[in-house]
Amino acid sequence: MELRQIYYVLEIARQKSFRGAANELYITQPALTRQVKAVEDELQMRLFDRDTHGVSLTKDGEKFCERGEEVVRAMDALLESFHQPTAGSRVVINLGVFLFVRQAGILPVINEFFSKNHNVVGNLKIVDNREGEDMLRNRRLDFAILKVADDGMTFSDLEYEKLFSEQLYVLMSRSNKFAGNKAIRPDELGELRILTGGLESHYYTEIKKFFNSSGADFNVAFMNDNEWGTMIDMVRDDVGVLIASDRVCRHFSGDEITFVPLEPKKVITTYLVSSKAPEPGIKRAFRRHVIDALKE
């Protein structure tokens, strides 16, 4: 049994409602129901009676809550002694992430932290590098997970923790004339129609810089800041191609989409970025969790 499951049962008992408890706990009702069932299965007892009038504790449920409150008080005392947030005080972690964070395998790491920390609320926002860095400076974000090209710019007023590096590829429809190539050479780049971010975005600027340094024409097919599904549909329909990282390309590769490496090889690095101000304990724990899970 996990500590968070005790908190879940106690909150349902307070709210006399699974829905009300789910709203208070910032999780979905089905997820909450699964967690309670896991506790009931482990203990081989029913904790709640459910009827048309709501939810009430069984005798076993009352006993569980009585002992559970003792556990919570003991845990809160422990946390307070180290100046950590308790069950009654939720901390919000504002996190900016790049567009394809789910496909890059990072989202499960983020989800794991919040699922294990009942008193921490996550606020996730898709951001471009420039937007994310500005929001960190203005304290509107606590952390950002951003991708920076191997020759890209970082800023001395922010903290960049390197997580991992990947090769860049061209993600394209299998019907694209270059789909069978072993690599895309600089002299072939100008024949590609590029799907990229908005005109003022970091992604647009970086891709344009790469094309210019290769002496290739920068032919933009479509600009889009945060609708990854639309971008992938356009790749599939051969409207244009994406310059994307190894993990993202492998996620989308299939019967209709493939990926071809750039020549010469180009690398992009994923960073956990934050301000240089000291972080409260639970936010230090989030930093450590992400680094331990993702750092090469």
Side-chain angles (χ1 to χ4, degrees), residues 40-53:
E40 292 178 326
D41 288 348
E42 182 178 343
L43 297 176
Q44 292 295 293
M45 63 176 64
R46 196 174 75 256
L47 299 177
F48 294 100
D49 285 325
R50 304 166 178 83
D51 57 32
T52 55
H53 300 292

Side-chain angles (χ1 to χ4, degrees), residues 82 84 143 278-289:
F82 291 96
Q84 300 299 306
F143 300 96
E279 296 152 356
I282 197 66
K283 293 181 181 179
R284 287 199 303 273
F286 177 79
R287 169 191 285 276
R288 190 73 263 157
H289 172 82

Side-chain angles (χ1 to χ4, degrees), residues 1-15 21-22 24-25 27 32 35-36 39 48 64-65 68-79 85-90 115-119:
M1 186 186 307
E2 297 179 19
L3 180 62
R4 66 188 173 109
Q5 293 172 322
I6 298 175
Y7 287 111
Y8 290 171
V9 172
L10 294 176
E11 191 61 40
I12 296 167
R14 279 191 285 269
Q15 298 287 337
E24 187 66 20
L25 293 163
I27 64 173
L32 180 60
Q35 292 298 326
V36 172
V39 174
F48 294 100
F64 181 94
C65 288
E69 290 285 3
E70 294 174 4
V71 172
V72 169
R73 285 194 293 271
M75 179 57 68
D76 282 353
L78 177 63
L79 291 171
T86 64
S89 59
R90 287 197 174 87
S115 72
K116 291 182 177 178
N117 291 274
H118 73 283
N119 56 336

Side-chain angles (χ1 to χ4, degrees), residues 109 161-163 272 286-296:
V109 172
E161 180 74 38
K162 181 179 176 180
L163 298 177
L272 178 65
F286 177 79
R287 169 191 285 276
R288 190 73 263 157
H289 172 82
V290 172
I291 292 171
D292 287 348
L294 295 175
K295 192 175 180 67
E296 288 179 331

